[in-house]
Amino acid sequence: MRWELLFGDLEAQFHAGTQQELEQHINELARIEASQLSFAEVMRGALGGQISATMRSGTVFHGEVQRVEQQWLLLGQDRRSVLLPLDMVVRVQGVGTRRVRATSRIPYTLAAALRVLSRNRSTVVLELAGTRPASLRGVLDQVGADYVQLMQMADGVGRDRGNAQGSVVGPLEALVAIASASDNEF
C-alpha cells in the first residue's frame, strides 16, 4: 500500500511539473506573438467601437472606428469622417484586448486614401502639425508620394476654382488629421 502512495505521489509531482512547464511555454508563446503585433492590429480590434484618440498636436478626436489600415484609421463622427495617421496618435482610450490582423495583402496607404478624396474633389479640413497647429480648408488638388497640395477655400464657399484662396503644399508627415464629409468612400 505504501508503494502505491509513493508512486501516486511521484506521478502527481511529475504531472504538476509538466503542467507548469506547459503553462510557462504557452505564456512565453503568447508574449512572443504579442511582440509581433502592430499598432494597426491593436486598433483593428476596436472596429465598430467608440474611441478617443489624442494626437501629437494635443487635439482629441472621438468617434467610431470604421476602418484601420497600416498607416491610418478612419473615425466616424456624426456627419463627418476623420482620417488619422497612426504615427500622429499618442494615446487611445476605449480599445479593448482584441487584436485583428490585416485581411488584405495590399497596403492601402495614407496617400492612397487621400487620392480618393482628391479624385472625388471632396472638401476637406487638414490639421497640420507645428508649434501652433493650423487647420486648412479646401480641396486636395494633388497627392504625391510624400506631399499634398491643397486648393484653399474660405468657410461656406463652394469648391469652384473661382473661390480658391491660394494653394498650399505640405509633407504628408505633417498631417495630423484629415476631416471630410462622411459619405466619402474609403
Side-chain angles (χ1 to χ4, degrees):
M1 188 77 95
R2 278 182 44 186
W3 288 106
E4 287 176 25
L5 291 174
L6 179 64
F7 287 126
D9 187 43
L10 287 173
E11 253 182 70
Q13 287 178 14
F14 176 76
H15 179 67
T18 304
Q19 187 66 29
Q20 187 177 15
E21 280 181 34
L22 180 62
E23 287 175 14
Q24 288 174 345
H25 185 68
I26 289 171
N27 289 338
E28 184 62 23
L29 288 175
R31 283 191 286 279
I32 290 169
E33 185 175 350
S35 73
Q36 296 172 0
L37 292 172
S38 69
F39 185 51
E41 291 164 334
V42 170
M43 296 309 303
R44 259 186 226 106
L47 278 168
Q50 296 288 321
I51 66 162
S52 295
T54 304
M55 309 305 287
R56 287 187 185 175
S57 64
T59 307
V60 180
F61 292 95
H62 308 279
E64 178 187 341
V65 180
Q66 295 180 333
R67 184 170 181 156
V68 180
E69 294 294 332
Q70 197 59 35
Q71 295 180 342
W72 55 272
L73 69 86
L74 182 67
L75 282 184
Q77 291 185 319
D78 298 326
R79 287 175 269 169
R80 75 177 189 161
S81 295
V82 181
L83 204 152
L84 303 175
L86 290 178
D87 60 356
M88 287 296 204
V89 176
V90 294
R91 182 177 64 235
V92 179
Q93 291 176 295
V95 177
T97 58
R98 187 168 169 245
R99 308 297 183 244
V100 177
R101 295 205 184 267
T103 55
S104 173
R105 293 179 192 255
I106 301 169
Y108 194 34
T109 64
L110 178 61
L114 295 175
R115 284 187 194 98
V116 170
L117 294 172
S118 177
R119 180 195 69 210
N120 293 345
R121 304 298 295 160
S122 302
T123 301
V124 297
V125 177
L126 303 180
E127 183 181 324
L128 304 173
T131 54
R132 286 185 1 202
S135 292
L136 301 173
R137 182 180 182 277
V139 174
L140 293 171
D141 267 346
Q142 193 174 49
V143 180
D146 61 353
Y147 74 94
V148 294
Q149 183 167 359
L150 181 80
M151 176 179 64
Q152 280 188 277
M153 297 182 310
D155 288 340
V157 299
R159 56 185 177 203
D160 298 333
R161 288 245 177 235
N163 294 331
Q165 295 184 330
S167 183
V168 176
V169 175
L172 282 177
E173 66 185 25
L175 295 177
V176 173
I178 303 93
S180 68
S182 61
D183 59 354
N184 286 303
E185 52 182 272
F186 286 106

